[in-house]
Amino acid sequence: MADKTKKTSNPRVVVLLGSASDLPVIEKMLPLLDRFGLPHLVVIASAHRQPEKLKRVVKKAEKDGVEVFVAAAGMAAHLPGVVASMTGLPVIGVPVASGPLAGVDALLSIVQMPPGVPVATVAVGSAGARNAACLAARMIALKDPKVAAAVEEFRRELAKGGS
Ligand code: RP5
């Protein structure tokens, strides 16, 4: 499987994908992270096919100071839950409509975490990916006034009819 890791030093948000086939879903999310001033890294690391790589990526990201993980996956979609099992940082899960069940499978898998191991689950597909960027920014904005200002500016644009 090709590794399309986007290199960024000291990412504040790490976006994990279950497969290269999930890349189109997060395309519209990355410009939003840029807009909120959040350096990010995109890594393909399947929970099922590459569990050791996944653990390495999560542990290195923690060491490098990541603040929020976003994990997007389709079908059985265990990736966000497995990431949440490996870290105490916030994890946002994006369900991807990649199988015959059109994302309902991934949505239920990601949202139904056992108590104590939360994954903040957003909508299926690109809308969810965009909201993952907004939610990550709102979390980080709690302690970063610059990000808070960017979030407020974005909200003002939405109120004027932007999207
Ligand atoms: C999941 O299975 C991935 O997140 C992807 O959405 C789906 C299909 O993966 P590929 O067969 O396209 O690699 O693990």
Side-chain angles (χ1 to χ4, degrees), residues 54-66:
L54 177 61
K55 188 158 194 177
R56 275 199 311 275
V57 170
V58 169
K59 291 296 147 195
K60 173 152 186 355
E62 282 184 327
K63 216 169 119 208
D64 292 346
V66 67

Side-chain angles (χ1 to χ4, degrees), residues 124-144:
V124 175
S126 305
R130 288 180 53 118
N131 272 348
C134 295
L135 187 53
R138 287 181 181 207
M139 289 170 177
I140 294 169
L142 289 170
K143 60 174 182 187
D144 185 327

Side-chain angles (χ1 to χ4, degrees), residues 15-83:
V15 181
L16 294 155
L17 303 178
S19 168
S21 65
D22 299 325
L23 276 167
V25 173
I26 60 141
E27 251 166 31
K28 291 198 173 144
M29 170 192 184
L30 304 182
L32 268 178
L33 290 174
D34 286 334
R35 179 192 172 133
F36 294 131
L38 296 173
H40 50 274
L41 186 68
V42 179
V43 184
I44 298 160
S46 165
H48 300 123
R49 296 165 173 155
Q50 302 166 298
E52 282 102 19
K53 174 183 178 183
L54 177 61
K55 188 158 194 177
R56 275 199 311 275
V57 170
V58 169
K59 291 296 147 195
K60 173 152 186 355
E62 282 184 327
K63 216 169 119 208
D64 292 346
V66 67
E67 290 160 81
V68 178
F69 286 100
V70 173
M75 301 183 79
H78 292 126
L79 181 65
V82 170
V83 174

